[in-house]
């Protein structure tokens, strides 16, 4: 027998003396080298994955925490020296992002906003009645409607007793201030050549029982009269009904007139129809005199004297209304009304209305003094007024209020920021000239990132939902194409094709996976999109759309699904098929009820891997889907996917450490998490449905 305790040495594989195999392990240098290389590859893969996660995580954290300076496109209007702690800036919606305690930058100086006065006048046109209804509504009703109580009402008539009662229930007492007079203009189209004047009786007839022009006078055309009038919430409507029909609106409404609270729409309806007639404020007639003709009433046309002495039957007063408590609690409201009373006569004629008499304006100023408990009505400097002003009501008074509000703003009523300077070191304080833009530090939150439906980094909109939606849409369309075709091909190759046919078709099918994806992208753009436009219409299908991109992505992943599914089907033991045949099942029944359930884990794994591949596809969607985030569920609209956006942004002029630069990593991390979850789901599915034979 050999000496088993002797030192290890090289021996022949077969020991002739003993006739035994030598099963002891021998060291081989090439095997050790291969093992070392494989181990290094495994470590490299692990460290690469960890590195990618760290980079994505680090840059994503920077995206949510780093200073993201966004230009508000609003310039400082006044110079700001080193000692100044406030500045006035242009009004606009972009300033809605600025609030107290925010950090802003002017030039390269960083400041903290200690107070922000977003001074501006907001005027809503909802009709006089609509204005009083909102003014006198309960806080609960306003909150449910998403509205706020206006501080000032534009009114083309005096407040009604019913409106005063509704206000009283909310502890509000409407106080009116006469600012001028208006005359309702009875107008027809400039193309109307048969009427130039009316009597008051004819006015009642036209807006009442007469249905055709020939009913008014036999020589008028035998054409239907089209009435065009302000809506029932309008003070113009209320005043006309009061003056012409003694408060009875039934005759005029029974004629089914065209109604609108927007006087511009009324003007358009009248000038397009030579048989239409309507009424609205005199200012709107003056602004459209080239397209309209005004009718005199009982021989009188609207004029300052006819309105002042009341000889023109449709003359009416114009008011601003507020509440004494509101005026005392919010001084900017009282200041604006005082400024309006002091300046209205300087602008009202240019607007197209008529001045109130000296006595009526004096009465309005005395009303202001009583409401504010002031000793007199002081001269108002708009530059010293702070706080928002919300107005609502009459479309007739709107042009006048808008003109005064613009003048009020030009005189200094502008948004103002009060700042704390030197928060990044005293040496950063510097003078700033007029015209320097304000930048604000907009740090997107995780909540905003995953809930906002707009992705516009240039204005601080960081909602990834449109990108995720487009990604899921293209992936869903791709799977609707690839899943039935891929599984169908797999079933044919595994169960029906002969070995020779299988050996020919399978490599040909898998050639699709070797075609560059950029070729698929241009195939989608130059073939699939024209095909869809030919089928559904060029007005329906955009040139860039998620539908064609999704279909071609589906074609791309057919080989992946078919290959993995065919392998899973082919691995099912033949004995199961034979047992099924022995029980009398047909081939189709065997495939559907035996083979596919047995291979289900492999088919599901192929499906999930294919979804991950579709989500991660870049070139096809970048070329064919579109180049702008668009939150749309229409497959024929253009939209940008996550990968397409990353490719477009990173391929352009992207500054390092900019807001766009950081955003692509946050998108990339979201994409990584999505594909990771899909792969984790794949493992769970495989382990859950795997059958062992």
């Amino acid at each position: 027998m050999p000496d088993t305790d002797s030192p290890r040495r090289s021996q022949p594989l077969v020991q002739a003396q003993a006739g035994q195999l030598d099963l002891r392990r021998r060291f081989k240098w090439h095997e050790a080298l291969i093992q070392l290389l494989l181990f290094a590859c495994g470590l490299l893969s692990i460290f690469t994955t960890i590195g990618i996660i760290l980079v994505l995580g680090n840059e994503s954290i920077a995206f949510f925490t780093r200073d993201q300076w966004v230009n508000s496109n609003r310039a400082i209007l006044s110079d700001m020296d080193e000692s100044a702690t406030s500045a006035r800036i242009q009004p606009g919606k972009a300033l809605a992002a600025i609030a107290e305690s925010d950090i802003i930058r002017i030039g390269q100086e960083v400041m903290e906003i200690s107070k922000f006065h977003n001074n501006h006048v907001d005027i809503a046109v909802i009709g006089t009645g609509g204005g009083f209804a909102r003014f006198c509504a309960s806080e609960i009703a306003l909150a449910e409607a998403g509205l706020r109580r206006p501080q000032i009402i534009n009114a083309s008539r005096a407040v009604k007793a019913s409106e005063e009662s509704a206000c009283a229930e909310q502890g509000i007492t409407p106080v009116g201030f006469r600012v001028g007079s208006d005359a309702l203009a009875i107008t027809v189209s400039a193309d109307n050549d048969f009427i130039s004047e009316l009597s008051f009786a004819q006015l009642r007839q036209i807006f009442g029982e007469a249905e055709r022009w020939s009913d008014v006078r036999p020589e008028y055309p035998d054409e239907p009269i089209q009435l065009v009038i302000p809506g029932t919430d309008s003070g113009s409507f209320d005043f006309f009904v009061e003056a012409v029909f003694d408060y009875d609106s039934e005759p005029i409404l029974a004629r089914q007139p065209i109604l609108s609270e927007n006087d511009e729409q009324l003007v358009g309806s009248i000038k397009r129809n030579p048989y239409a007639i309507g009424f609205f404020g005199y200012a709107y007639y003056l602004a459209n005199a080239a397209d309209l003709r005004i009718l005199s009433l009982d021989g009188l046309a609207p004029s300052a004297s006819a309105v002042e002495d009341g000889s023109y039957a449709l003359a009416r007063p114009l008011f601003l209304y507020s509440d004494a408590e509101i005026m005392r609690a919010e001084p900017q409201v009282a200041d604006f009304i005082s400024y309006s009373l002091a300046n209205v006569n300087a602008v009202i004629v240019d607007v197209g209305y008529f001045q109130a008499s000296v006595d009526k304006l004096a009465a309005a100023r005395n009303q202001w003094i009583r409401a504010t408990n002031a000793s007199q009505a002081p001269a108002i400097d708009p530059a010293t007024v702070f706080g928002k002003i919300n107005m609502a009501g009459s479309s007739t008074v709107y042009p006048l209020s808008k003109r005064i509000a613009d003048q009020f703003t030009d005189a200094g009523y502008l948004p103002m920021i009060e700042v704390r300077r030197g928060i990044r070191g005293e040496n950063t304080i510097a003078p700033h000239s007029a015209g320097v833009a304000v930048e604000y530090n907009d740090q997107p939150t995780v909540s905003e990132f995953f809930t906002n439906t707009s992705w516009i980094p240039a204005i601080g909109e960081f909602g990834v939902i449109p990108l995720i939606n487009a990604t899921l849409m293209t992936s869903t369309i791709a799977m609707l194409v690839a899943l039935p075709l891929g599984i169908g091909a797999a079933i044919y190759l595994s169960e029906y094709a002969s070995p020779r046919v299988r050996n020919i078709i399978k490599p040909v099918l898998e050639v699709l996976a070797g075609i560059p994806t950029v070729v698929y992208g241009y195939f989608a753009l130059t073939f699939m999109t024209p095909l869809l436009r030919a089928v559904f219409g060029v007005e329906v299908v955009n040139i860039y759309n998620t539908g064609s991109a999704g279909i071609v992505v589906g074609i791309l992943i057919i080989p992946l699904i078919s290959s993995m599914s065919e392998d899973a089907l082919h691995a099912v033991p033949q004995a199961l098929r034979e047992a099924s045949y022995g029980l009398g099942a047909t081939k189709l029944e065997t495939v559907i009820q035996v083979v596919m359930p047995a291979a289900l884990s492999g088919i599901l794994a192929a499906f999930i891997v294919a979804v991950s591949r579709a989500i991660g596809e870049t070139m096809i969607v970048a070329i064919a889907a579109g180049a702008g985030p668009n939150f749309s569920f229409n497959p024929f609209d253009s939209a940008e996917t996550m990968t397409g956006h990353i490719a477009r942004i990173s391929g352009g002029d992207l500054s390092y450490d900019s807001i766009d630069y950081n955003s692509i990593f946050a998108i990339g991390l979201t994409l990584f998490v999505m594909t990771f979850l899909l792969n984790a789901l794949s493992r769970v599915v495989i382990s859950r449905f795997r059958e062992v034979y």
Side-chain angles (χ1 to χ4, degrees), residues 461-473:
E461 296 285 346
F462 300 101
V464 78
I465 291 295
L467 301 178
I468 293 177
N469 178 69
T471 300
L472 295 179
M473 280 193 63

Side-chain angles (χ1 to χ4, degrees), residues 101-175:
S101 302
D102 279 357
I103 303 299
I104 64 169
R105 186 169 68 177
I106 303 176
Q108 291 302 312
E109 181 182 355
V110 179
M111 311 174 186
E112 180 185 13
I113 298 177
S114 57
K115 186 168 290 188
F116 174 49
H117 305 280
N118 192 7
N119 302 327
H120 71 276
V121 181
D122 183 27
I123 309 176
V125 178
I126 55 176
T128 300
F132 280 121
R134 188 176 297 182
F135 188 59
C136 303
S138 67
E139 292 292 347
I140 295 176
L142 290 170
E144 290 177 348
L147 300 172
R148 56 186 175 183
R149 191 186 310 281
Q151 302 154 315
I152 301 174
I153 300 300
N154 291 323
S156 56
R157 58 166 173 78
V159 62
K160 297 179 180 179
S162 59
E163 292 166 339
E164 287 183 314
S165 298
C167 281
E169 293 178 2
Q170 307 303 321
I172 295 172
T173 303
V175 179

